[in-house]
Amino acid sequence: MSDNQERRPRFRADISLGNILTIVGMVIAGTGAWIEVRTTQAEIKALQVQFERRIVDLERSELERRADRLNQVTLVTEIRADIKYLREAFSRIERARQ
């Protein structure tokens, strides 16, 4: 081979139209990807806020459920005490009749 072919670089250092189009395409693709990432992050933050709001609502409803359960247990206990008192009263009335 000749000296000129060996010294010539394998890649040309000049910028061609294809190189410019490739760079522009990469910038457009990068911009599109960045917009998609930012949109996804905004959606994730919105879902996080919604999830945290649901947790607060669930905790509040759990507290209300516990209070209702306590009221029910108290009411059942009072009813049982009343039934016991009524049975004793009926027993006394029956004994008094005899």
Side-chain angles (χ1 to χ4, degrees), residues 5-22:
Q5 289 179 344
E6 290 178 15
R7 290 182 186 174
R8 190 175 69 184
R10 291 186 173 192
F11 301 105
R12 292 176 39 188
D14 56 341
I15 297 177
S16 67
L17 179 62
N19 290 346
I20 293 172
L21 291 176
T22 302

Side-chain angles (χ1 to χ4, degrees), residues 11 40 43 46 52 60 72:
F11 301 105
T40 304
E43 289 173 356
E52 288 172 355
R60 185 180 310 119
Q72 288 176 355

Side-chain angles (χ1 to χ4, degrees), residues 20-78:
I20 293 172
L21 291 176
T22 302
I23 291 170
V24 169
M26 290 177 68
V27 168
I28 291 172
T31 303
W34 179 253
I35 290 171
E36 179 67 27
V37 166
R38 297 298 293 170
T39 303
T40 304
Q41 286 176 344
E43 289 173 356
I44 288 172
K45 287 198 182 276
L47 288 174
Q48 180 182 8
V49 168
Q50 183 181 15
F51 181 71
E52 288 172 355
R53 197 174 317 129
R54 284 184 181 177
I55 288 176
V56 169
D57 290 343
L58 285 173
E59 288 174 348
R60 185 180 310 119
S61 66
E62 177 65 17
L63 288 174
E64 290 172 359
R65 189 192 65 78
R66 285 183 181 179
D68 288 344
R69 179 68 179 155
L70 180 63
N71 289 338
Q72 288 176 355
V73 169
T74 304
L75 182 63
V76 168
T77 303
E78 289 174 359

